[in-house]
mmCIF file of all heavy atoms in Angstrom:
data_model
loop_
_atom_site.group_PDB
_atom_site.id
_atom_site.type_symbol
_atom_site.label_atom_id
_atom_site.label_comp_id
_atom_site.label_asym_id
_atom_site.label_seq_id
_atom_site.Cartn_x
_atom_site.Cartn_y
_atom_site.Cartn_z
ATOM 1 N N GLY B 62 13.560 -11.682 -4.697
ATOM 2 C CA GLY B 62 12.726 -10.473 -4.684
ATOM 3 C C GLY B 62 11.265 -10.792 -4.975
ATOM 4 O O GLY B 62 10.368 -10.314 -4.277
ATOM 5 N N ILE B 63 11.034 -11.634 -5.992
ATOM 6 C CA ILE B 63 9.648 -11.971 -6.358
ATOM 7 C C ILE B 63 8.970 -12.706 -5.203
ATOM 8 O O ILE B 63 7.817 -12.425 -4.865
ATOM 9 C CB ILE B 63 9.615 -12.820 -7.660
ATOM 10 C CG1 ILE B 63 10.044 -11.963 -8.857
ATOM 11 C CG2 ILE B 63 8.214 -13.398 -7.896
ATOM 12 C CD1 ILE B 63 10.288 -12.746 -10.137
ATOM 13 N N VAL B 64 9.687 -13.646 -4.567
ATOM 14 C CA VAL B 64 9.106 -14.410 -3.445
ATOM 15 C C VAL B 64 8.743 -13.455 -2.301
ATOM 16 O O VAL B 64 7.621 -13.484 -1.790
ATOM 17 C CB VAL B 64 10.080 -15.509 -2.966
ATOM 18 C CG1 VAL B 64 9.604 -16.139 -1.671
ATOM 19 C CG2 VAL B 64 10.241 -16.580 -4.037
ATOM 20 N N PHE B 65 9.673 -12.589 -1.938
ATOM 21 C CA PHE B 65 9.405 -11.637 -0.843
ATOM 22 C C PHE B 65 8.290 -10.658 -1.238
ATOM 23 O O PHE B 65 7.446 -10.317 -0.421
ATOM 24 C CB PHE B 65 10.673 -10.858 -0.469
ATOM 25 C CG PHE B 65 11.485 -11.534 0.591
ATOM 26 C CD1 PHE B 65 12.234 -12.661 0.288
ATOM 27 C CD2 PHE B 65 11.490 -11.069 1.888
ATOM 28 C CE1 PHE B 65 12.979 -13.296 1.263
ATOM 29 C CE2 PHE B 65 12.228 -11.701 2.884
ATOM 30 C CZ PHE B 65 12.986 -12.823 2.563
ATOM 31 N N GLY B 66 8.338 -10.216 -2.489
ATOM 32 C CA GLY B 66 7.343 -9.247 -2.939
ATOM 33 C C GLY B 66 5.945 -9.828 -2.993
ATOM 34 O O GLY B 66 4.966 -9.143 -2.719
ATOM 35 N N SER B 67 5.853 -11.111 -3.345
ATOM 36 C CA SER B 67 4.519 -11.695 -3.538
ATOM 37 C C SER B 67 3.873 -12.134 -2.230
ATOM 38 O O SER B 67 2.685 -12.420 -2.209
ATOM 39 C CB SER B 67 4.599 -12.872 -4.513
ATOM 40 O OG SER B 67 5.466 -13.846 -3.997
ATOM 41 N N ILE B 68 4.630 -12.220 -1.143
ATOM 42 C CA ILE B 68 4.044 -12.620 0.139
ATOM 43 C C ILE B 68 3.665 -11.376 0.942
ATOM 44 O O ILE B 68 4.529 -10.580 1.299
ATOM 45 C CB ILE B 68 5.013 -13.515 0.955
ATOM 46 C CG1 ILE B 68 5.315 -14.806 0.175
ATOM 47 C CG2 ILE B 68 4.428 -13.847 2.332
ATOM 48 C CD1 ILE B 68 6.390 -15.676 0.785
ATOM 49 N N PRO B 69 2.376 -11.195 1.211
ATOM 50 C CA PRO B 69 1.980 -10.025 1.999
ATOM 51 C C PRO B 69 2.663 -10.032 3.369
ATOM 52 O O PRO B 69 2.748 -11.072 4.015
ATOM 53 C CB PRO B 69 0.466 -10.205 2.162
ATOM 54 C CG PRO B 69 0.057 -11.106 1.064
ATOM 55 C CD PRO B 69 1.215 -12.020 0.817
ATOM 56 N N GLY B 70 3.161 -8.909 3.781
ATOM 57 C CA GLY B 70 3.843 -8.820 5.073
ATOM 58 C C GLY B 70 5.356 -8.763 4.903
ATOM 59 O O GLY B 70 6.055 -8.302 5.787
ATOM 60 N N LEU B 71 5.857 -9.250 3.778
ATOM 61 C CA LEU B 71 7.301 -9.163 3.517
ATOM 62 C C LEU B 71 7.511 -8.059 2.485
ATOM 63 O O LEU B 71 6.733 -7.916 1.567
ATOM 64 C CB LEU B 71 7.827 -10.501 2.983
ATOM 65 C CG LEU B 71 7.531 -11.745 3.831
ATOM 66 C CD1 LEU B 71 8.183 -12.971 3.223
ATOM 67 C CD2 LEU B 71 8.011 -11.573 5.261
ATOM 68 N N SER B 72 8.580 -7.301 2.651
ATOM 69 C CA SER B 72 8.781 -6.145 1.768
ATOM 70 C C SER B 72 10.082 -6.246 0.991
ATOM 71 O O SER B 72 10.928 -7.100 1.286
ATOM 72 C CB SER B 72 8.805 -4.867 2.612
ATOM 73 O OG SER B 72 9.866 -4.941 3.531
ATOM 74 N N THR B 73 10.241 -5.356 0.013
ATOM 75 C CA THR B 73 11.476 -5.316 -0.783
ATOM 76 C C THR B 73 12.663 -4.961 0.115
ATOM 77 O O THR B 73 13.748 -5.537 -0.042
ATOM 78 C CB THR B 73 11.338 -4.257 -1.899
ATOM 79 O OG1 THR B 73 10.105 -4.473 -2.569
ATOM 80 C CG2 THR B 73 12.460 -4.338 -2.889
ATOM 81 N N SER B 74 12.437 -4.043 1.041
ATOM 82 C CA SER B 74 13.522 -3.646 1.943
ATOM 83 C C SER B 74 13.983 -4.837 2.774
ATOM 84 O O SER B 74 15.185 -5.027 2.995
ATOM 85 C CB SER B 74 13.062 -2.525 2.874
ATOM 86 O OG SER B 74 12.655 -1.434 2.130
ATOM 87 N N LEU B 75 13.013 -5.658 3.227
ATOM 88 C CA LEU B 75 13.356 -6.844 4.014
ATOM 89 C C LEU B 75 14.155 -7.837 3.154
ATOM 90 O O LEU B 75 15.145 -8.417 3.609
ATOM 91 C CB LEU B 75 12.075 -7.494 4.537
ATOM 92 C CG LEU B 75 12.245 -8.674 5.487
ATOM 93 C CD1 LEU B 75 12.934 -8.261 6.773
ATOM 94 C CD2 LEU B 75 10.880 -9.289 5.829
ATOM 95 N N ALA B 76 13.727 -7.984 1.897
ATOM 96 C CA ALA B 76 14.438 -8.880 0.978
ATOM 97 C C ALA B 76 15.870 -8.401 0.780
ATOM 98 O O ALA B 76 16.812 -9.211 0.779
ATOM 99 C CB ALA B 76 13.704 -8.941 -0.352
ATOM 100 N N LEU B 77 16.040 -7.079 0.638
ATOM 101 C CA LEU B 77 17.390 -6.518 0.464
ATOM 102 C C LEU B 77 18.223 -6.727 1.731
ATOM 103 O O LEU B 77 19.417 -7.053 1.644
ATOM 104 C CB LEU B 77 17.305 -5.025 0.143
ATOM 105 C CG LEU B 77 17.022 -4.675 -1.315
ATOM 106 C CD1 LEU B 77 16.675 -3.210 -1.462
ATOM 107 C CD2 LEU B 77 18.220 -5.003 -2.199
ATOM 108 N N ALA B 78 17.567 -6.567 2.889
ATOM 109 C CA ALA B 78 18.288 -6.759 4.155
ATOM 110 C C ALA B 78 18.743 -8.206 4.302
ATOM 111 O O ALA B 78 19.826 -8.479 4.839
ATOM 112 C CB ALA B 78 17.382 -6.371 5.316
ATOM 113 N N VAL B 79 17.923 -9.143 3.809
ATOM 114 C CA VAL B 79 18.287 -10.564 3.874
ATOM 115 C C VAL B 79 19.411 -10.878 2.880
ATOM 116 O O VAL B 79 20.334 -11.639 3.179
ATOM 117 C CB VAL B 79 17.030 -11.444 3.592
ATOM 118 C CG1 VAL B 79 17.409 -12.889 3.331
ATOM 119 C CG2 VAL B 79 16.044 -11.353 4.758
ATOM 120 N N ALA B 80 19.336 -10.251 1.688
ATOM 121 C CA ALA B 80 20.327 -10.535 0.639
ATOM 122 C C ALA B 80 21.669 -9.849 0.892
ATOM 123 O O ALA B 80 22.704 -10.303 0.393
ATOM 124 C CB ALA B 80 19.770 -10.116 -0.717
ATOM 125 N N LEU B 81 21.646 -8.777 1.665
ATOM 126 C CA LEU B 81 22.866 -7.987 1.895
ATOM 127 C C LEU B 81 24.026 -8.820 2.480
ATOM 128 O O LEU B 81 25.144 -8.779 1.939
ATOM 129 C CB LEU B 81 22.533 -6.783 2.788
ATOM 130 C CG LEU B 81 23.415 -5.558 2.657
ATOM 131 C CD1 LEU B 81 23.477 -5.039 1.230
ATOM 132 C CD2 LEU B 81 22.929 -4.450 3.582
ATOM 133 N N PRO B 82 23.777 -9.597 3.560
ATOM 134 C CA PRO B 82 24.894 -10.401 4.090
ATOM 135 C C PRO B 82 25.430 -11.423 3.085
ATOM 136 O O PRO B 82 26.627 -11.705 3.062
ATOM 137 C CB PRO B 82 24.272 -11.117 5.299
ATOM 138 C CG PRO B 82 23.028 -10.388 5.618
ATOM 139 C CD PRO B 82 22.564 -9.757 4.352
ATOM 140 N N ILE B 83 24.524 -11.948 2.237
ATOM 141 C CA ILE B 83 24.956 -12.928 1.220
ATOM 142 C C ILE B 83 25.887 -12.245 0.229
ATOM 143 O O ILE B 83 26.878 -12.822 -0.225
ATOM 144 C CB ILE B 83 23.723 -13.524 0.473
ATOM 145 C CG1 ILE B 83 22.718 -14.119 1.465
ATOM 146 C CG2 ILE B 83 24.149 -14.572 -0.566
ATOM 147 C CD1 ILE B 83 21.366 -14.478 0.853
ATOM 148 N N SER B 84 25.570 -10.972 -0.097
ATOM 149 C CA SER B 84 26.341 -10.256 -1.127
ATOM 150 C C SER B 84 27.779 -9.967 -0.689
ATOM 151 O O SER B 84 28.650 -9.743 -1.534
ATOM 152 C CB SER B 84 25.631 -8.952 -1.490
ATOM 153 O OG SER B 84 25.712 -8.048 -0.417
ATOM 154 N N PHE B 85 28.032 -9.973 0.615
ATOM 155 C CA PHE B 85 29.385 -9.652 1.097
ATOM 156 C C PHE B 85 30.431 -10.670 0.638
ATOM 157 O O PHE B 85 31.613 -10.364 0.553
ATOM 158 C CB PHE B 85 29.409 -9.556 2.627
ATOM 159 C CG PHE B 85 28.621 -8.391 3.166
ATOM 160 C CD1 PHE B 85 28.170 -8.370 4.475
ATOM 161 C CD2 PHE B 85 28.325 -7.303 2.355
ATOM 162 C CE1 PHE B 85 27.435 -7.295 4.966
ATOM 163 C CE2 PHE B 85 27.583 -6.229 2.830
ATOM 164 C CZ PHE B 85 27.141 -6.230 4.135
ATOM 165 N N SER B 86 29.960 -11.896 0.337
ATOM 166 C CA SER B 86 30.914 -12.920 -0.096
ATOM 167 C C SER B 86 31.193 -12.839 -1.598
ATOM 168 O O SER B 86 31.975 -13.632 -2.129
ATOM 169 C CB SER B 86 30.366 -14.301 0.261
ATOM 170 O OG SER B 86 29.094 -14.459 -0.332
ATOM 171 N N LEU B 87 30.559 -11.897 -2.296
ATOM 172 C CA LEU B 87 30.728 -11.790 -3.753
ATOM 173 C C LEU B 87 31.592 -10.568 -4.098
ATOM 174 O O LEU B 87 31.848 -9.730 -3.243
ATOM 175 C CB LEU B 87 29.353 -11.643 -4.426
ATOM 176 C CG LEU B 87 28.299 -12.713 -4.106
ATOM 177 C CD1 LEU B 87 26.946 -12.304 -4.667
ATOM 178 C CD2 LEU B 87 28.698 -14.064 -4.676
ATOM 179 N N SER B 88 31.989 -10.492 -5.380
ATOM 180 C CA SER B 88 32.721 -9.295 -5.816
ATOM 181 C C SER B 88 31.731 -8.136 -5.904
ATOM 182 O O SER B 88 30.515 -8.358 -5.910
ATOM 183 C CB SER B 88 33.352 -9.541 -7.182
ATOM 184 O OG SER B 88 32.347 -9.576 -8.165
ATOM 185 N N SER B 89 32.226 -6.903 -6.017
ATOM 186 C CA SER B 89 31.324 -5.748 -5.972
ATOM 187 C C SER B 89 30.255 -5.798 -7.058
ATOM 188 O O SER B 89 29.077 -5.568 -6.792
ATOM 189 C CB SER B 89 32.128 -4.455 -6.056
ATOM 190 O OG SER B 89 32.839 -4.414 -7.267
ATOM 191 N N ILE B 90 30.648 -6.119 -8.275
ATOM 192 C CA ILE B 90 29.673 -6.096 -9.374
ATOM 193 C C ILE B 90 28.687 -7.268 -9.262
ATOM 194 O O ILE B 90 27.498 -7.134 -9.569
ATOM 195 C CB ILE B 90 30.375 -6.036 -10.772
ATOM 196 C CG1 ILE B 90 29.384 -5.638 -11.873
ATOM 197 C CG2 ILE B 90 31.090 -7.318 -11.123
ATOM 198 C CD1 ILE B 90 28.955 -4.204 -11.819
ATOM 199 N N GLN B 91 29.179 -8.423 -8.775
ATOM 200 C CA GLN B 91 28.268 -9.566 -8.564
ATOM 201 C C GLN B 91 27.268 -9.245 -7.451
ATOM 202 O O GLN B 91 26.077 -9.557 -7.550
ATOM 203 C CB GLN B 91 29.053 -10.830 -8.193
ATOM 204 C CG GLN B 91 29.826 -11.435 -9.352
ATOM 205 C CD GLN B 91 30.861 -12.447 -8.888
ATOM 206 O OE1 GLN B 91 30.963 -12.765 -7.705
ATOM 207 N NE2 GLN B 91 31.644 -12.953 -9.829
ATOM 208 N N ALA B 92 27.774 -8.616 -6.402
ATOM 209 C CA ALA B 92 26.898 -8.245 -5.283
ATOM 210 C C ALA B 92 25.827 -7.270 -5.743
ATOM 211 O O ALA B 92 24.647 -7.407 -5.405
ATOM 212 C CB ALA B 92 27.729 -7.629 -4.160
ATOM 213 N N MET B 93 26.243 -6.284 -6.556
ATOM 214 C CA MET B 93 25.269 -5.306 -7.046
ATOM 215 C C MET B 93 24.247 -5.970 -7.965
ATOM 216 O O MET B 93 23.076 -5.593 -7.990
ATOM 217 C CB MET B 93 25.979 -4.163 -7.787
ATOM 218 C CG MET B 93 26.767 -3.259 -6.884
ATOM 219 S SD MET B 93 25.713 -2.528 -5.621
ATOM 220 C CE MET B 93 26.791 -2.556 -4.224
ATOM 221 N N SER B 94 24.701 -6.983 -8.724
ATOM 222 C CA SER B 94 23.779 -7.730 -9.596
ATOM 223 C C SER B 94 22.720 -8.420 -8.746
ATOM 224 O O SER B 94 21.531 -8.375 -9.064
ATOM 225 C CB SER B 94 24.536 -8.787 -10.407
ATOM 226 O OG SER B 94 25.556 -8.201 -11.144
ATOM 227 N N LEU B 95 23.166 -9.056 -7.667
ATOM 228 C CA LEU B 95 22.242 -9.769 -6.773
ATOM 229 C C LEU B 95 21.235 -8.784 -6.166
ATOM 230 O O LEU B 95 20.014 -9.022 -6.189
ATOM 231 C CB LEU B 95 23.034 -10.466 -5.659
ATOM 232 C CG LEU B 95 22.205 -11.246 -4.644
ATOM 233 C CD1 LEU B 95 21.849 -12.621 -5.179
ATOM 234 C CD2 LEU B 95 22.931 -11.394 -3.318
ATOM 235 N N LEU B 96 21.751 -7.671 -5.642
ATOM 236 C CA LEU B 96 20.876 -6.708 -4.959
ATOM 237 C C LEU B 96 19.910 -6.028 -5.937
ATOM 238 O O LEU B 96 18.742 -5.797 -5.601
ATOM 239 C CB LEU B 96 21.712 -5.649 -4.223
ATOM 240 C CG LEU B 96 22.586 -6.189 -3.088
ATOM 241 C CD1 LEU B 96 23.441 -5.089 -2.496
ATOM 242 C CD2 LEU B 96 21.748 -6.829 -1.995
ATOM 243 N N MET B 97 20.392 -5.756 -7.146
ATOM 244 C CA MET B 97 19.499 -5.134 -8.129
ATOM 245 C C MET B 97 18.381 -6.101 -8.513
ATOM 246 O O MET B 97 17.224 -5.695 -8.687
ATOM 247 C CB MET B 97 20.304 -4.721 -9.371
ATOM 248 C CG MET B 97 19.546 -3.825 -10.317
ATOM 249 S SD MET B 97 19.118 -2.238 -9.590
ATOM 250 C CE MET B 97 20.615 -1.319 -9.881
ATOM 251 N N GLY B 98 18.738 -7.385 -8.635
ATOM 252 C CA GLY B 98 17.724 -8.411 -8.931
ATOM 253 C C GLY B 98 16.660 -8.438 -7.847
ATOM 254 O O GLY B 98 15.457 -8.482 -8.128
ATOM 255 N N VAL B 99 17.103 -8.383 -6.585
ATOM 256 C CA VAL B 99 16.172 -8.390 -5.445
ATOM 257 C C VAL B 99 15.266 -7.149 -5.506
ATOM 258 O O VAL B 99 14.046 -7.237 -5.324
ATOM 259 C CB VAL B 99 16.944 -8.410 -4.100
ATOM 260 C CG1 VAL B 99 15.993 -8.253 -2.928
ATOM 261 C CG2 VAL B 99 17.740 -9.697 -3.948
ATOM 262 N N TYR B 100 15.891 -6.012 -5.793
ATOM 263 C CA TYR B 100 15.163 -4.729 -5.826
ATOM 264 C C TYR B 100 14.056 -4.762 -6.886
ATOM 265 O O TYR B 100 12.882 -4.490 -6.604
ATOM 266 C CB TYR B 100 16.174 -3.616 -6.110
ATOM 267 C CG TYR B 100 15.659 -2.202 -6.036
ATOM 268 C CD1 TYR B 100 14.639 -1.840 -5.172
ATOM 269 C CD2 TYR B 100 16.229 -1.207 -6.823
ATOM 270 C CE1 TYR B 100 14.189 -0.532 -5.098
ATOM 271 C CE2 TYR B 100 15.791 0.107 -6.756
ATOM 272 C CZ TYR B 100 14.772 0.435 -5.899
ATOM 273 O OH TYR B 100 14.337 1.735 -5.833
ATOM 274 N N VAL B 101 14.437 -5.154 -8.108
ATOM 275 C CA VAL B 101 13.460 -5.170 -9.214
ATOM 276 C C VAL B 101 12.418 -6.277 -8.988
ATOM 277 O O VAL B 101 11.215 -6.064 -9.153
ATOM 278 C CB VAL B 101 14.182 -5.333 -10.574
ATOM 279 C CG1 VAL B 101 13.191 -5.497 -11.703
ATOM 280 C CG2 VAL B 101 15.075 -4.133 -10.835
#
Side-chain angles (χ1 to χ4, degrees):
Chain B
I63 291 170
V64 170
F65 270 74
S67 60
I68 299 172
L71 306 183
S72 61
T73 311
S74 301
L75 185 63
L77 278 168
V79 167
L81 206 56
I83 305 169
S84 70
F85 293 159
S86 57
L87 306 171
S88 71
S89 61
I90 195 71
Q91 288 165 4
M93 290 302 142
S94 304
L95 180 82
L96 296 176
M97 192 64 84
V99 173
Y100 187 31
V101 174

